[in-house]
Every structure is written in structure tokens, then in C-alpha cells.
Amino acid sequence: MHDEIFIGLLGRRNQGKSALMNLLTGQQVSIVSDTPGTTTDPVKKSMEVFGLGRCVWIDTAGWDDEGGVGFQRVERSRRTLNLLQAAVVLFSHNGFGEAEQEICGALAQKRVPFVLLHNKRDEEPLSDALKADLARRYPDCPIVDFSTVQAAADTDDPAAPLIAALKTLLGAAHAAPRPVLEGLIQAGDLVLLVTPIDAEAPKDRLILPQVQISRQCLDLHAGCLLCQPEELPQMLQRLNAPPRLVITDSQAFKEVHAMLPAEQPLTSFSICLARQKGPFDAYLQGTPHIARLQDGDRLLLLESCTHQINCHDIGRVKLPNLLRQRTGKQLQFEFVSGLNPLPDAPDRYAMVIQCGGCMVTGKQLEQRLTPFIDAGVPVSNYGMALAYLQGIFDRAVAPFRKG
Ligand SMILES: Nc1nc2c(ncn2[C@@H]2O[C@H](COP(=O)(O)OP(=O)(O)OP(=O)(O)O)[C@@H](O)[C@H]2O)c(=O)[nH]1
Ligand SMILES: [Mg+2]
């Protein structure tokens, strides 16, 4: 799961993309000059933006770059679109022409929401006529009339109008997720997190689910203790009471399961995260249907986040392979990515498996699954289905069933 929001700064040359990049980051990240074509390759800078989270700003070469390697630069800017969760389309002097329309069209096609930012208002403010025209043509896009140069002189909160527009744009998609541990633990409890550090662990860091769950423990005023599976018996001995809950990486589930007494509540990071979004109870009921799949059954895999390479691999490769292997059945798979329309007849499917949905809202997820649930089709999600296929489902969902 990605916790960073990639936001592209797009537009023709000389519109102030790099000046805006520097304003947003408060640093001289990109070169600014009045020579069109200054920025050649995309420039990225990551930072925490209050109220939005971790953002990666991407400054790009002008969409209208030309001559020599200009075409290749434009191609690079175009490719950047595949990374984006949001964009800022810059234009100035009331010049909204073919290039801008093309950028907006390309963003819309990729379902990337964007802000229209009329820059250099100190030289020429956005006209009412163009503003009205844009509002009609792009009803979902906030329009901001802005001056990067003037804002830079305002030391207080220079990019406030743009950040506010981005929050509006991303607000729904980044609404606070449901608390993962709520009802399972209380203030003062201790949670033990089991995290193997193997060759695939990122250098010097923990992966996002572990960070998120540690944070949730703190939010709920509980404590958490982290260890690797080998040290688990030692850690348990040191405690004068068993932890309220043990949460382990799915990979170590079997090992951890064997080490802990049967009455110790144990779950996995992936099951916890399945609780964050989507119809968790329907997932709980639907997942065991995997055992009842038959030859010729058709499964629908919904991969809601088009940008998530990791989910893509799980959904298109890992899950279908594991499902075929573990069930030994001839299964057929269909995929729908992004928020593309769903097939008409939900009851054609023996089962629907939804991705974690980290880039869509819980509401969108539930809306998409409702027709299947109403038609009595079992639904599951990637994390739950993987847990089931690894034989860890029953114990890992027991703490949630009690609640
Ligand atoms: N008056 C005024 N000038 C601005 C503003 N924003 C940027 N500029 C100037 O516009 C020129 C181009 O700015 P850049 O940030 O380099 O533009 P760019 O879009 O990155 O251009 P390329 O890298 O060539 O695609 C520079 O001279 C900036 O100082 C603004 O709000 N007002
Ligand atoms: Mg530039």
C-alpha cells in the first residue's frame, strides 16, 4: 500500500511550474528561468503536507516542448501521468488552449483528479469569462487564480489556496479510514507485533502496515512491542501478563501460531488492514467460500487502484495461481481495474475478490460490492483470501468475530 500522494505539476513551458515547486517545498528544488524549456526531466520532492499526508510533488517539462529532444521530454511528462494521484494544471495570461485541453483530457482519461491553477495573476488576473467557461467544462476541478511570485513574498502560508483546493479534491479519497484496532484493544493494553526482518524488508525501515498499526495503538493509548518471531517466546516470558493481542506478518503466521497458547488472540496485519475499508463482515462470511469453488467457476477480481503495481501483481498473478493450486479446480478469472464499470449480471460470478482499495474511498468500495452482496455472491478481499489460502484465516479472524 502506498501512503504517498503523487501530485504532478503540469502545463506548457514558462507557466511557473518550477517556481511553484520551489514555493511548495520551500526549497530551490527546480531551476526557474524565463527561458522556456528550463525543466527537462521530471523533478520529484517528497514532503509532509498538513492535512494531506506525505506528498511527492513532481515538476515536469513543458507539455509544448519542441525541437531536438523536446519530444522526448514531453513523452516523459506524459509518462508521469501514470504515477499520479492528483495534478495541478498551470496556465497563465488567460491562455487556456489546445495544450491545456490535451493535458486535462489525458488526466481525465487516467482518472487523475486535478486543480486548474491560473498562475501569474499579478500580471493578469483570471477573467470571469474564462473562469465560468472552465467551471462549466471541468465541473469537478477546483479553479485557483494564483501568483507564485506574490505568494512567495507572503511568508505565512504561501501555498494555502492551492493546498486547500487539493484537500477538497482529495478529501473524499483520503477520508480518515476506519480504525483498524477499535473494539479489539483499549487504553493501557499491550499489543505485540511480530515482524520478521528478512531480505525483502526495506532498509532501516518498517513497512507501512506495521507503522500504521503501531500508530493506531498509540492513538488508542495502548502500548505496542515489536519483535521478530525468534524472540517471541523470550518476550512473552518477560511480560507479567499475556498481551491483549498479537499481530503477526502473514508469512510468520504458522510459526507464531505454534508458539502461542490456543487462547492467545492472534491475527495478521493483512486481516487488520482488510478492516480498514470495505464490507468487513461480508468478507468474513464470504472468504471461506474459497473451499467450495467448483470447476468452471468464474471469479471476478476487482483491482480498484490502477496505480498500484504491487496490488496488480497480487491480483493478476499471485491470487489466481494460489486459488488454482489450493483448490485444484479449473477456475476462470475476470478482472476490472480502477473504477471501470462492473459487469451487468453479478450472479454470473461464484465469488468476487476486491483489492485493499487504498486509493478509493470506503464508500466507493462498498457501493461497488453491494450489487454482488445483494445477489448473494460471496465477497472477499486480497488480504483475507491470501490468509485463507495460507490456512491462517480461522484463527486470524477469531478476535474480530468476538467483537
Ligand atoms: N510575474 C510572475 N512571474 C512568474 C510567476 N510564476 C513564475 N513566474 C516567472 O515565470 C518564468 C518561468 O517560470 P518557471 O517556473 O521556470 O516556469 P516552468 O513552467 O517551470 O517552465 P519550463 O521549465 O520551461 O517548462 C520565470 O521567470 C518565473 O520567475 C508569477 O506568479 N508571476
Ligand atoms: Mg520548469
Side-chain angles (χ1 to χ4, degrees):
M1 183 194 290
H2 247 304
D3 71 328
E4 288 176 317
I5 308 169
F6 285 74
I7 306 175
L9 309 181
L10 308 169
R12 276 184 290 133
R13 289 170 296 172
N14 223 16
Q15 302 304 304
K17 299 180 294 300
S18 300
L20 180 64
M21 175 78 164
N22 294 347
L23 181 84
L24 288 163
T25 57
Q27 294 177 17
Q28 299 301 310
V29 181
S30 284
I31 299 173
V32 173
S33 94
D34 56 9
T35 312
T38 303
T39 306
T40 53
D41 295 309
V43 178
K44 290 184 197 161
K45 181 76 189 168
S46 162
M47 67 182 278
E48 184 73 23
V49 179
F50 297 128
L52 271 183
R54 195 102 206 132
C55 294
V56 181
W57 303 108
I58 310 181
D59 182 17
T60 59
W63 204 264
D64 60 341
D65 212 335
E66 56 192 12
V69 290
F71 171 75
Q72 288 171 38
R73 291 177 189 160
V74 177
E75 203 39 48
R76 287 224 167 167
S77 297
R78 277 178 191 280
R79 263 188 274 149
T80 307
L81 299 194
N82 294 324
L83 297 175
L84 303 182
Q85 274 99 56
V88 183
V89 179
L90 284 92
F91 59 107
S92 66
H93 302 103
N94 289 295
F96 194 93
E98 251 175 55
E100 286 75 16
Q101 285 175 37
E102 201 193 298
I103 297 171
C104 295
L107 288 167
Q109 203 195 5
K110 303 247 177 217
R111 293 172 198 279
V112 179
F114 54 94
V115 173
L116 292 167
L117 187 126
H118 181 259
N119 195 28
K120 309 195 186 187
R121 67 158 289 143
D122 51 298
E123 290 183 349
E124 185 180 324
L126 178 62
S127 74
D128 289 343
L130 180 58
K131 189 172 179 184
D133 184 36
L134 292 175
R136 189 180 46 76
R137 277 150 72 187
Y138 304 101
D140 298 331
C141 301
I143 301 169
V144 180
D145 194 14
F146 195 71
S147 163
T148 304
V149 166
Q150 274 178 347
D154 169 8
T155 47
D156 222 20
D157 192 2
L162 173 59
I163 301 294
L166 283 165
K167 277 188 203 162
T168 312
L169 199 65
L170 291 167
H174 288 268
R178 272 202 296 257
V180 168
L181 299 177
E182 204 175 61
L184 295 186
I185 60 166
Q186 294 173 354
D189 280 345
L190 181 75
V191 179
L192 206 156
L193 308 180
V194 187
T195 306
I197 303 293
D198 54 19
E200 283 170 22
K203 185 168 163 8
D204 299 337
R205 287 190 289 120
L206 293 173
I207 58 169
L208 185 61
Q210 292 146 3
V211 175
Q212 279 183 324
I213 286 180
S214 307
R215 170 64 190 263
Q216 289 231 341
C217 289
L218 297 176
D219 285 342
L220 292 166
H221 296 274
C224 69
L225 180 67
L226 274 147
C227 71
Q228 296 208 52
E230 303 88 289
E231 284 71 51
L232 180 60
Q234 242 173 303
M235 292 300 141
L236 292 169
Q237 266 179 13
R238 282 169 172 270
L239 300 176
N240 58 14
R244 169 73 61 184
L245 179 65
V246 177
I247 307 177
T248 180
D249 189 289
S250 306
Q251 281 177 56
F253 199 96
K254 287 225 167 79
E255 204 181 329
V256 172
H257 163 74
M259 284 180 198
L260 294 174
E263 65 279 8
Q264 170 65 55
L266 168 66
T267 189
S268 69
F269 288 107
S270 62
I271 300 276
C272 286
L273 293 174
R275 203 186 187 202
Q276 221 169 21
K277 270 183 196 174
F280 187 75
D281 290 335
Y283 291 159
L284 279 182
Q285 282 176 23
T287 306
H289 186 77
I290 291 174
R292 297 190 288 276
L293 290 172
Q294 300 297 328
D295 282 331
D297 273 353
R298 198 184 295 272
L299 278 80
L300 183 66
L301 271 67
L302 301 180
E303 185 192 312
S304 301
C305 324
T306 32
H307 317 295
Q308 303 296 307
I309 289 154
N310 196 18
C311 285
H312 190 80
D313 182 51
I314 294 175
R316 304 266 164 159
V317 185
K318 279 197 189 137
L319 259 177
N321 286 348
L322 262 176
L323 281 159
R324 285 195 180 106
Q325 267 169 28
R326 296 288 154 92
T327 62
K329 304 289 179 196
Q330 302 284 328
L331 304 174
Q332 297 178 48
F333 294 93
E334 284 179 28
F335 305 91
V336 174
S337 51
L339 291 177
N340 285 344
L342 293 170
D344 282 338
D347 51 5
R348 282 175 64 226
Y349 297 95
M351 194 163 183
V352 176
I353 310 181
Q354 165 71 53
C355 78
C358 46
M359 298 315 299
V360 295
T361 64
K363 206 168 166 193
Q364 280 171 327
L365 257 188
E366 298 204 8
Q367 270 171 0
R368 283 174 78 73
L369 290 171
T370 302
F372 297 98
I373 295 171
D374 289 350
V377 178
V379 296
S380 179
N381 96 333
Y382 286 13
M384 292 265 209
L386 283 173
Y388 192 88
L389 292 163
Q390 288 165 318
I392 65 175
F393 182 76
D394 286 334
R395 187 169 185 183
V397 300
F400 299 94
R401 289 215 157 109
K402 275 181 205 146

